[in-house]
Amino acid sequence: MSSARTDDELGLKLQQSQDKLVWTMFGSSWCHHCHELFPSVYEISKRFQKQEFVVAQMDYMDHAVKGIKYTPTFRLYKSGRRMDEFVGTDAQRVQDHVWLWSDSNAGSH
């Protein structure tokens, strides 16, 4: 798991990931839901190690956060392209989305 505080940092992480799946949790310093969900997201990232996880501090971003209305917002990227997006604070929902895109469920997408 890593973090990004600016558009440039997130762009670099997405570029470096090449064709890996990259889950990005967009949150902010003032979002208590984001802080409460983080430990669960961290545990999920340890279970699905073939996927990358980035916590994006949207307070300092302009471009990457366009269209985000609620926090936390999760976006999945592959090869720099957005593949999935959802909003929510339910750890089970996060895990379900990650599992749906995992290698163990590769035939479903």
Side-chain angles (χ1 to χ4, degrees):
M1 179 171 273
S2 62
S3 65
R5 291 182 57 118
T6 65
D7 288 321
D8 290 340
E9 286 179 6
L10 180 59
L12 184 61
K13 289 183 186 303
L14 294 176
Q15 183 181 16
Q16 290 172 340
S17 69
Q18 298 175 357
D19 63 346
K20 274 187 154 182
L21 295 175
V22 181
W23 286 100
T24 305
M25 176 181 162
F26 289 92
S28 66
S29 59
W30 46 264
C31 175
H32 72 276
H33 295 296
C34 301
H35 295 284
E36 290 173 358
L37 186 60
F38 177 78
S40 297
V41 173
Y42 179 73
E43 289 301 316
I44 292 167
S45 75
K46 290 177 12 182
R47 282 188 294 236
F48 293 90
Q49 294 185 7
K50 290 184 179 181
Q51 299 180 44
E52 305 258 340
F53 291 80
V54 177
V55 176
Q57 186 64 255
M58 62 186 285
D59 297 333
Y60 308 104
M61 296 183 172
D62 293 318
H63 177 70
V65 298
K66 288 196 190 288
I68 293 178
K69 295 180 181 178
Y70 307 102
T71 58
T73 292
F74 292 85
R75 287 183 174 170
L76 173 66
Y77 296 91
K78 183 174 183 179
S79 302
R81 199 173 112 225
R82 190 181 331 159
M83 306 294 290
D84 194 6
E85 178 176 335
F86 66 97
V87 176
T89 59
D90 180 23
Q92 185 62 51
R93 185 171 184 210
V94 175
Q95 181 171 300
D96 290 349
H97 272 265
V98 173
W99 177 81
L100 284 171
W101 286 94
S102 69
D103 289 343
S104 62
N105 197 34
S108 68
H109 19 156

